[in-house]
Each structure stands twice: as structure tokens, then as C-alpha cells.
Amino acid sequence: MRGRTALVTGASQGIGRACAKALAARGAVVIVGARQTEKLATLVDEIRDDGGGAEAVELDVQDQSSVGAMARTHGKAVDILVNNAGIARDGLAMRMRDGDWQSVVDTNLTGSFRCARALMRFMARKRWGRIINVSSVVGLSGNAGQANYAASKAGLVGLTKSLALELSGRNVTVNAVAPGFVDTAMTQALGDKARQKILAQVPLRRMGTLDEIAAAVCYLASEEAGYVTGHVLNISGGLYM
């Protein structure tokens, strides 16, 4: 990926952080975006210490002016967009507040659309680009207590396929990954009973790793994936088939 520049949203932790490090390790210059700039600074230092190229940008995908400022500063350089920024506000649908619905959809779905819309014109002009949306297995299967989150992640699937069709003539591919249960700080905080209940649903009987998700993103961002577009890569250990 030498000579390519990638923007990763929501890069301050978890999947976004792992994707940024993996892309940098493969030679891409990485622009890491998030609201938590202190964590971004640490990530940039780590990537540079490992010999990679990295830069941080304060980015709030819920704010169109923030996305616009990012595009004006970095848009021409970006070849690869990883739409990872996301939040969860779980609760049963019958009790869900409008604010909890709207904030999740605005961040996970509309935020991804904003970033893609802002950067795809630059990719189209270069006639090369990769957009990878981070969806979720619950966007394919649904999940009780996560109507807002599942709807936003299912929306990313539709967005992925639509953009793939619109950009196909410009040599810009658009794909998504749909992770299942991943070993993160959030899942590590669960009690043993909760973890065992989760693992009982997964045919491979383990959680995925951040590195496994990042490797899939790197493949979809690579030259080798040039004939893959409109695809949703289900990385759930067989949880959803």
C-alpha cells in the first residue's frame, strides 16, 4: 500500500485503532480521525515509532462542518476511507428515546455517508479508491435491545451496495465488513456467565480478534481486491450464516 493514503474514522480505540495500525504496517500513510484527540496523538506516535506515516485530525462525523473541514484539508490525498466511527445506545424499542435512536443513526449511518460523500469525488477524479464501511453482524441478523444500532448497521449494507453501483465506472470499490463478537475492552468487562452465553452462540466457540477484523479491512483496501465491490464480508465465526 505504499503511495496510498488512508483515512480511518473512529480511530482512537478498538477496531478503528487496529485498522489504522494494520494499514500503516502495510505501507499506507494513515490519517486517523476521532473526537478524542489525546488518544489519537498516542496512536500517531506509536505508528511513527514503528516506521509508519501517520497524522491526526479532529473529526466528529455527526457534524457536517467538521467533515467538510477534514475534506478541504485532506480530501485530495485520501485514497482509502474506512468508515468505522460508531456508537451504541442500547435499550428495548418500546422504551427507546428519540435521542438515543437519532444519535446512533446520525453517527453510524449518516456519519459514514457524510464522509463518503465528501471524499468520493476526489477518488473518482483519480479513478482509484477504496471505501470500507464497518457494519456489524447484527445489521444482518437483527438483535433484541439494539433496534437503533442494528438499523444503522443494516443501513450501511444498503449504502455500501448503492455506492458500489454509483462508483463502479470510476474504479472506486465500496465494500463492508460485518464483525461479530470481538475481543475488546467492552467484551472483556463482561462477566464469565455473559461471555459463556455469547460463546455458546458462536460455532467457532471464540471471539474474533481486532487483528482479524483489521486484516479483512486491509484486504478490501488492497490492489488484490480490485474486483470486489458491493460485498459484505461477514466476520462472525459462523454466528450468522
Side-chain angles (χ1 to χ4, degrees):
M1 293 186 186
R2 295 192 187 282
R4 301 295 186 193
T5 298
L7 171 71
V8 182
T9 71
S12 60
Q13 59 190 352
I15 290 173
R17 191 177 196 279
C19 288
K21 296 195 77 171
L23 288 163
R26 288 160 173 79
V29 174
V30 180
I31 301 168
V32 291
R35 291 177 296 181
Q36 299 182 44
T37 53
E38 288 183 8
K39 289 185 177 181
L40 290 182
T42 301
L43 174 58
V44 167
D45 287 342
E46 288 180 14
I47 290 173
R48 290 176 177 173
D49 288 345
D50 290 337
E55 182 179 347
V57 58
E58 186 173 359
L59 178 62
D60 181 356
V61 300
Q62 290 192 71
D63 182 355
Q64 177 56 41
S65 63
S66 177
V67 174
M70 173 276 294
R72 287 190 296 273
T73 305
H74 301 289
K76 290 183 180 179
V78 175
D79 306 293
I80 300 161
L81 168 63
V82 181
N83 271 321
N84 169 73
I87 61 171
R89 298 284 186 272
D90 296 348
L92 293 175
M94 68 176 66
R95 298 173 189 160
M96 186 171 290
R97 295 175 298 181
D98 284 357
D100 288 340
W101 171 275
Q102 202 62 54
S103 62
V104 169
V105 173
D106 280 350
T107 301
N108 300 1
L109 179 56
T110 308
S112 295
F113 167 71
R114 287 191 183 107
C115 291
R117 180 179 60 184
L119 297 176
M120 67 173 71
R121 67 192 66 184
F122 299 106
M123 297 179 187
R125 287 174 193 158
K126 290 185 283 190
R127 302 190 72 84
W128 199 97
R130 301 283 188 266
I131 299 173
I132 301 105
N133 297 317
V134 180
S135 181
S136 167
V137 69
V138 304
L140 304 176
S141 66
N143 196 35
Q146 287 192 309
N148 49 0
Y149 186 79
S152 70
K153 294 299 187 176
L156 279 176
V157 173
L159 178 65
T160 295
K161 294 176 182 292
S162 297
L163 295 185
L165 290 169
E166 290 188 16
L167 296 170
S168 58
R170 297 288 184 167
N171 196 36
V172 178
T173 66
V174 188
N175 294 287
V177 294
F181 292 111
V182 180
D183 194 9
T184 63
M186 185 182 296
T187 54
Q188 287 169 8
L190 296 172
D192 285 342
K193 267 189 180 179
R195 285 177 65 89
Q196 290 306 315
K197 186 177 180 180
I198 288 170
L199 293 177
Q201 303 173 57
V202 181
L204 288 184
R205 294 294 185 267
R206 69 173 179 86
M207 293 191 182
T209 68
L210 291 173
D211 288 343
E212 287 171 327
I213 308 304
V217 169
C218 286
Y219 166 68
L220 293 173
S222 71
E223 294 283 355
E224 289 82 0
Y227 202 53
V228 180
T229 196
H231 182 68
V232 181
L233 182 53
N234 172 5
I235 317 170
S236 66
L239 178 63
Y240 178 81
M241 296 188 188

